[in-house]
């Protein structure tokens, strides 16, 4: 596991965007580059950097196919808190990606299980995901894989914990009851099947999750800890998120992947 520690949120986002741009540009195979994407406040700065790079002609998304991590059940596309709306508003509407290259789980599907199976099949039809970018919840969840979701789980229907509904209620008028209780989500196994996973973690409120992810054992209590078993996982984080790491751990990663030691 590679951990790249940046001083603040802005530098973390810049580093992550450049990493993605390099991956797209270095992709020489005769098939589209397949990119997995998250929602949430964390990736917004990365999307801003990617939009700018696209406008400046530094990267094109014409040959990129995307798969989003998750979607709330029961929110139509035009609901301003649906992840479909979020992704178009914050990213897709501002870059040169063809609409048919965008894949987002449909939380309004009549048969939700069939929708999840279709999604897995479609990912497989492209030969899998080249790079999956993700964020994490304060309880260490990746996508909507709450604590104790199997680390080999596939795309499926997920019940959200009360904690997650409380945290996400900031987007639903601060009312946890108005926050959808169910979502569709790629599985931890789906994410880990990707050729590369890039996890973004910033801020003091994620420090406990990051410590469990890096220093704790692999456990479904902290689903992001599954990345310890991935042979090409990169965590891009800021200093604030490192607040609960041991000094030794912090210095180790600064030594190998950063510019300075404390
Ligand atoms: C939601 C999403 C996750 C995201 C998490 C953290 O639960 N399903 O994919 O990582 O929120 O969001 P934020 O980046 O706003 O802290």
């Amino acid at each position: 596991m590679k951990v790249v520690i940046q001083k603040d949120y802005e530098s973390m986002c810049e580093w992550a965007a450049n990493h993605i741009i390099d991956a797209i540009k270095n992709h020489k195979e005769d098939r589209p580059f397949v990119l997995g994407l998250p929602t949430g406040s964390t990736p917004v700065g990365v999307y801003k950097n990617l939009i700018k790079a696209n406008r400046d002609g530094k990267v094109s998304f014409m040959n990129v196919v995307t798969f989003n991590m998750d979607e709330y059940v029961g929110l139509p596309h035009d609901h301003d808190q649906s992840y479909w709306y979020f992704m178009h508003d914050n990213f897709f509407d501002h870059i040169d990606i063809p609409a048919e290259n965008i894949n987002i789980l449909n939380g309004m599907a009549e048969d939700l299980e069939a929708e999840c199976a279709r999604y897995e099949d479609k990912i497989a039809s492209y030969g899998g995901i080249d790079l999956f970018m993700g964020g994490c919840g304060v309880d260490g969840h990746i996508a909507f894989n709450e604590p104790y979701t199997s680390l080999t789980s596939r795309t499926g229907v997920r019940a959200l914990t009360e904690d997650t509904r409380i945290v996400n209620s900031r987007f639903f008028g601060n009312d946890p009851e108005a926050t959808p209780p169910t979502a569709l989500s790629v599985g931890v196994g789906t994410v880990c099947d990707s050729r590369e996973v890039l996890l973004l973690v910033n801020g003091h409120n994620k420090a406990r999750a990051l410590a469990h992810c890096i220093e704790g054992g692999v456990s479904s209590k902290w689903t992001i800890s599954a990345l310890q078993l991935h042979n090409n996982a990169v965590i891009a984080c800021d200093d604030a998120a490192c607040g609960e790491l041991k000094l030794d751990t912090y210095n180790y990663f600064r030594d190998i992947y950063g510019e300075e030691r404390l």
Side-chain angles (χ1 to χ4, degrees), residues 69 105 113 115-117 119-120 123 153-158 184-188 190:
M69 284 193 144
L105 283 155
E113 299 290 349
E115 167 64 4
C116 294
Y119 208 64
E120 285 276 342
I123 292 173
S153 53
R154 310 304 306 185
T155 305
V157 182
R158 302 283 191 271
L184 302 185
S185 174
V186 295
V188 184
T190 318

Side-chain angles (χ1 to χ4, degrees), residues 39-43 69-70 83 135-137 141 143-144 164 168 170 206:
T39 52
S41 40
T42 306
M69 284 193 144
D70 42 20
Y83 285 170
C136 86
H141 70 242
F144 266 131
T164 294
N168 288 2
R170 66 191 192 280
K206 303 285 175 71

Side-chain angles (χ1 to χ4, degrees), residues 223-262:
T223 54
I224 49 170
S225 67
L227 295 191
Q228 290 182 29
L229 297 176
H230 195 284
N231 69 359
N232 195 13
V234 187
I235 298 179
C237 57
D238 68 354
D239 252 334
C242 294
E244 299 216 12
L245 292 181
K246 291 188 172 66
L247 187 57
D248 262 4
T249 308
Y250 181 86
N251 278 336
Y252 172 79
F253 286 114
R254 284 293 262 212
D255 200 12
I256 304 187
Y257 304 116
E259 303 96 56
E260 70 213 51
R261 286 172 68 96
L262 282 186

Side-chain angles (χ1 to χ4, degrees), residues 9 13 36-48 50-51 66-72 75-95 102-105 133-135 144 168 170-172 200:
Y9 175 74
C13 291
L37 295 173
T39 52
S41 40
T42 306
V44 170
V46 179
Y47 292 143
K48 285 190 176 144
L50 291 175
I51 291 166
T66 63
F67 283 90
N68 259 83
M69 284 193 144
D70 42 20
E71 177 60 284
Y72 288 114
L75 298 192
H77 287 175
D78 58 359
H79 189 291
D80 64 0
Q81 291 310 326
S82 76
Y83 285 170
W84 193 98
Y85 188 98
F86 174 97
M87 286 307 300
H88 285 78
D89 196 33
N90 284 285
F91 192 40
F92 297 139
D93 285 352
H94 312 285
I95 58 170
I102 298 169
N103 295 282
I104 302 178
L105 283 155
M133 173 164 72
F144 266 131
N168 288 2
R170 66 191 192 280
F171 301 114
F172 293 89
L200 308 171

